[in-house]
Amino acid sequence: MSLVRSFCKIMERIAPLHLAEKWDNVGLILEAPFVRPQANKVLLTNDLTPAVVEEALTSPTVFIVTYHPPIFKPLTSLTLSVPLQASLLRCAAAGISVYTPHTALDSVTDGINDWLCTKAAGPLRDINWTARFIGQEFPDGLGGQGRIVTLKQPIELGQLATTIRTELELKEVHVAYAKPEREHTMITTIGICAGSGGSMLLGVDADVYFTGEMPHHEVLASIQSGHNVILCGHTNTERGYLPWLKKDIEEFIQEELAQPTDPAEAEVLQGLEVVVSTRDEYPLAIL
C-alpha cells in the first residue's frame, strides 16, 4: 500500500469527498511520481502559495493538505512562468503530493462550518445555542450545507461582532446593519457559511449572515431584505480550523495504527508528523 493512497483514505474518513459541492475540485490534486525519501511531515495550509511550497521544500514534507484547490479550472499548460503551476511542478519534482478537501470539510459534521458555529456562540458555546443546516442534509449524520445557529438568548449585533472578532483573533470585522437603529439590533439566528457565502446565504431566514466575504451588491441585497451582515475576510473563516484538522488527522492515524484494517497501510503511516504551515497567511494587511 502506497503512502499516498493510505493517507488519502485517512482524509476521506475525515471529510468524505461526496459531501463536496458539485462544482468543486477536491481530493488528490497532485500525485508525485515518487514518494520523497526520508520525509515524514504532512503540511497543512489554507492555500498553496510559493511561500508554503518553499516551507515544504526546506522541511522533510512528503504531503501537503491545502484547503483550497490549487487546480480549479482546467489547465491548458504547466509552465514555470505561472507561479501556481511552478509550485505544483516543484512539488512533483520533489516527491510531494497535494490533497484538498475544500467544501467537503465545510459540510462534514465537526468541520469548518461547525467550528464557525462555536466561534459565533462565543464563551457560552456549551449551553448557548443550537444549529441546523441551511441546505441539503446528508444521511448518517455526516453533515450538511451551511449552518443556522439559534441562540437561546438574543445578543446585540455589535456584541456578536466583537465576540466573533475575539474568537477568530482578528483586528477587525466588517458589519452591515439592516436598520439605522444600530444600538437596538438584536440577533437570535445566525446564518453561517465559510469563505464566500453569499450564494448560500442570500434569502436564508436569519437575523445576520456571518461569512468571510460577499460582493458589494450581495451585501446591499442582504441589508435591503432585512438581513444584517458580518464579514471577516475570506480565509479568516477557514485558516483557524487547521489546528482542529491537525488533531483529527493525528487521531485517525493513531486509530489506524492501534487497530489496523490493513497492516501494510498502517506501516506506511507510521512516523508521520502533521504540522500547520507557518508561512500560510491572510494576504491583505490593515494599514
Side-chain angles (χ1 to χ4, degrees), residues 111-266:
I112 293 182
N113 282 329
D114 280 336
W115 171 73
L116 288 175
C117 288
T118 69
K119 299 304 179 184
L124 299 178
R125 61 177 60 92
D126 292 335
I127 59 173
N128 195 40
W129 61 285
T130 59
R132 64 186 191 275
F133 303 115
I134 289 176
Q136 179 184 2
E137 180 176 355
F138 302 110
D140 303 321
L142 283 176
Q145 296 174 319
R147 301 292 188 271
I148 298 178
V149 164
T150 300
L151 300 174
K152 294 183 179 179
Q153 295 293 332
I155 185 174
E156 197 275 322
L157 179 57
Q159 183 181 349
L160 174 63
T162 299
T163 296
I164 290 171
R165 186 191 68 202
T166 301
E167 290 285 325
L168 292 180
E169 300 180 11
L170 303 176
K171 294 182 179 179
E172 66 174 13
V173 298
H174 294 171
V175 181
Y177 286 81
K179 297 179 180 179
E181 302 83 11
R182 297 185 175 186
E183 65 275 15
H184 300 301
T185 301
M186 302 303 294
I187 302 298
T188 301
T189 53
I190 309 166
I192 294 176
C193 182
S196 182
S199 61
M200 180 169 290
L201 293 172
L202 284 178
V204 168
D205 184 13
D207 297 329
V208 62
Y209 297 155
F210 165 31
T211 186
E213 65 179 352
M214 277 178 146
H216 171 72
H217 294 289
E218 289 185 353
V219 174
L220 291 182
S222 298
I223 60 176
Q224 289 167 9
S225 61
H227 304 284
N228 305 283
V229 177
I230 297 176
L231 303 178
C232 302
H234 188 117
T235 61
N236 288 333
T237 58
E238 303 159 342
R239 184 172 292 104
Y241 182 79
L242 292 178
W244 288 41
L245 178 59
K246 174 182 184 294
K247 184 172 179 287
D248 280 348
I249 294 173
E250 290 171 339
E251 288 178 353
F252 274 93
I253 289 176
Q254 288 305 311
E255 179 181 312
E256 182 61 32
L257 294 177
Q259 296 180 320
T261 54
D262 183 335
E265 181 174 311

Side-chain angles (χ1 to χ4, degrees), residues 7-82:
F7 187 76
C8 286
K9 288 179 68 175
I10 293 291
M11 290 303 302
E12 173 69 16
R13 291 173 64 189
I14 293 171
L17 296 180
H18 71 272
L19 303 185
E21 299 292 331
K22 290 182 174 58
W23 47 261
D24 206 357
N25 188 29
V26 293
L28 184 61
I29 299 295
L30 172 68
E31 183 175 6
F34 64 95
V35 175
R36 191 179 188 187
Q38 299 180 325
N40 70 330
K41 289 187 184 295
V42 176
L43 185 65
L44 308 185
T45 181
N46 211 74
D47 294 286
L48 190 71
T49 62
V52 169
V53 171
E54 194 63 34
E55 179 183 11
L57 293 172
T58 55
S59 64
T61 296
V62 68
F63 221 107
I64 296 174
V65 176
T66 173
Y67 168 73
H68 284 133
I71 300 175
F72 196 72
K73 297 180 180 179
L75 297 175
T76 57
S77 63
L78 276 171
T79 69
L80 296 174
S81 61
V82 179

